[in-house]
Amino acid sequence: VETLARRADGVMGFVESYRQISRTPEVRRRAFEVLPWAQELESLFRASEAGQSVALKLEVKPDTLTIDVDPDLMCQVLLNLLKNGAEAAAAHSGEAALAMRFTRTRAGRTQIEVVDNGPGIPESLQQDVFLPFFTTKAKGTGVGLSLARQVVLAHRGAISFDRSPAGGALFRIVI
């Protein structure tokens, strides 16, 4: 009975994960100032388990920068990127660090970068990171980056990754 109960929980977890990525997110865009919203994101991250032992540097340039997104959906995306970066950095470095930067591109779009000092994404896995259910974590679902990509695309934006100057991962969103 216990085995069946555990299996049922596992199946329900899978169904919930599949439900999350199988429907297009409903985007409720609005324009707002980035700085207070980013500071709230920073506070939410610092209050999370992942944010307890990782230094986070927040940069918003200029201070009056605005963005036109669904604040709740984009918050979910950024908190997931911060959590992933914090876990990677904490497992790799004695002084785990993250940065979250918001800037305006030359074309007038908003660019968001989440950078960590973890090990980076191995070249052999780079083509898979945005695939649904792909994970390298023992307790991961593989939904986070796939959902992040869906949300960004629903905003008519782009999400990509690169190696950060510190050697870790750099995720870049342009909206």
Side-chain angles (χ1 to χ4, degrees), residues 3-20 133 141 143:
T3 301
L4 287 174
R6 276 194 308 275
R7 187 67 198 125
D9 288 344
V11 169
M12 289 308 295
F14 172 81
V15 168
E16 177 58 27
S17 295
Y18 186 77
R19 189 181 66 76
Q20 283 182 318
F133 306 113
T141 62
V143 172

Side-chain angles (χ1 to χ4, degrees), residues 140-155:
T141 62
V143 172
L145 289 177
S146 177
L147 186 60
R149 183 175 179 273
Q150 275 189 304
V151 168
V152 171
L153 291 176
H155 281 84

Side-chain angles (χ1 to χ4, degrees), residues 12-149:
M12 289 308 295
F14 172 81
V15 168
E16 177 58 27
S17 295
Y18 186 77
R19 189 181 66 76
Q20 283 182 318
I21 65 164
S22 65
R23 62 185 158 95
T24 304
E26 183 181 336
V27 178
R28 294 186 176 124
R29 291 178 88 127
R30 65 180 176 87
F32 55 91
E33 280 195 28
V34 170
L35 186 59
W37 178 72
Q39 288 170 331
E40 185 176 302
L41 269 168
E42 179 182 23
S43 294
L44 287 169
F45 173 71
R46 290 186 192 281
S48 72
E49 184 178 333
Q52 298 294 310
S53 60
V54 178
L56 173 62
K57 181 179 182 184
L58 174 63
E59 296 176 30
V60 178
K61 293 181 184 175
D63 288 348
T64 57
L65 182 68
T66 60
I67 192 169
D68 183 10
V69 296
D70 181 317
D72 297 327
L73 287 176
M74 199 55 61
C75 177
Q76 183 178 357
V77 167
L78 294 174
L79 286 173
N80 184 61
L81 290 175
L82 289 169
K83 178 182 178 279
N84 286 352
E87 290 171 354
H92 179 73
S93 173
E95 294 197 27
L98 290 170
M100 184 169 54
R101 299 188 286 251
F102 296 81
T103 57
R104 179 78 60 213
T105 68
R106 288 187 189 135
R109 300 182 81 187
T110 303
Q111 178 173 282
I112 307 166
E113 293 181 336
V114 176
V115 185
D116 67 61
N117 67 343
I121 301 168
E123 195 170 318
S124 63
L125 303 179
Q126 291 181 358
Q127 72 279 359
D128 298 327
V129 296
F130 292 114
L131 292 177
F133 306 113
F134 174 79
T135 185
T136 59
K137 299 176 187 174
K139 294 187 179 185
T141 62
V143 172
L145 289 177
S146 177
L147 186 60
R149 183 175 179 273

